[in-house]
Amino acid sequence: MGRKGLVLSIAGFDPTGGAGVLLDIKVFNLFGLKAGGIPSTLTLQNTSLFQGWEPVEGKYLEKALELVSSDLPIDGIKIGMIGTPENAEIIGKFLKRERKKISWVVLDPVLKATLNYNLFSSSGFIRILKTNIFPYVDVVTPNVYEAETLSEKRVEKKEDLFEIANRLLNLGTKAVIITGWESFHFIWDFFYSPDNSFFLKKKKLAGYFHGTGCAFSSALLAYLVQGFKIEEAFKKAKNWLYFKLKKAEKDKIGGKLWLFL
Ligand code: PXL
């Protein structure tokens, strides 16, 4: 265990660095980790509009994974936007083969951009994500919308998160963190594993951000790789992100959405 090798982000490429691979790398770097990244998709966006995305070719993804993993020890992988069922299958096949050698795998099952654009291509994608990737993941970090979509159950009250998290746990992951359940003044994040469950509550912030899910899951992976227990890593990652967002609220850098790293 430990920090001898690389942490790797497999996610979409956002040219502004506000989300995806670039943001993940910035987070890993702030934690002092050696970081690599493989883009799964190329997005066309800025902080005001999302114009579209396209997947990288399956051959590229497959070969990049092979080249990096055959050359460097990988301590952890964070998976974000994947986009297509074809590329989800390639990542699943890679994890099936290499998982034993990798200490931690975190999945942020990204389905929609904050600017309300779909980040997956077909319903077949969700099926492959659940069957071919979830079984190899230590912690999955959906927001409420993603958790609802993946579990096929709506959240009407906070307590519904128990059943939803349980459904996601049954897909083969070790722990589930559902982020962003909102009450009047507060945001609640929910931790669920076979032997523990609890809520973390934070005051709502007034800023408009995207990439918060990307940054949270990357910070979570960083703390896991540094040796913290999952519950501790969760609390620390949340506090770290909250601190960064509070600072960025003063800068207001960006259009509709603000950058925070
Ligand atoms: O914030 C969700 C997200 C994740 N990953 C990529 C994105 C976005 C939102 O724009 O572009 C690559």
Side-chain angles (χ1 to χ4, degrees), residues 14 22 38 68 70 85 90 94 102 119 122 124 152 162 178 184 191 196 202 239 241 246 248 255-256:
D14 165 3
L22 288 176
I38 301 180
V68 174
S70 63
I90 287 167
F94 169 78
I102 304 161
L119 298 181
S122 67
E152 296 172 16
F162 284 87
I178 301 175
F184 193 54
F191 180 93
N196 202 355
K202 291 267 187 234
N239 287 336
L241 176 66
K246 266 214 297 230
K256 275 194 191 154

Side-chain angles (χ1 to χ4, degrees), residues 212-223:
T212 56
C214 301
F216 168 70
S217 52
S218 294
L220 177 75
L221 178 65
Y223 283 118

Side-chain angles (χ1 to χ4, degrees), residues 125-197:
F125 170 76
I126 290 185
R127 190 174 50 80
I128 305 285
L129 185 69
K130 294 204 282 195
T131 58
N132 295 26
I133 295 186
F134 264 69
Y136 304 108
V137 168
D138 294 304
V139 193
V140 62
T141 64
N143 60 27
V144 169
Y145 164 77
E146 290 153 356
E148 287 181 328
T149 306
L150 292 166
S151 67
E152 296 172 16
K153 180 178 164 61
R154 290 296 305 252
V155 184
E156 262 128 40
K157 52 193 186 309
K158 201 159 112 255
E159 289 65 36
D160 292 338
L161 292 174
F162 284 87
E163 166 64 20
I164 287 182
N166 196 248
R167 289 187 190 186
L168 299 183
L169 201 71
N170 286 336
L171 296 171
T173 176
K174 295 204 193 98
V176 177
I177 296 169
I178 301 175
T179 63
W181 191 84
E182 299 192 19
S183 62
F184 193 54
H185 288 298
F186 298 100
I187 296 246
W188 308 69
D189 293 333
F190 179 54
F191 180 93
Y192 188 86
S193 75
D195 36 45
N196 202 355
S197 70

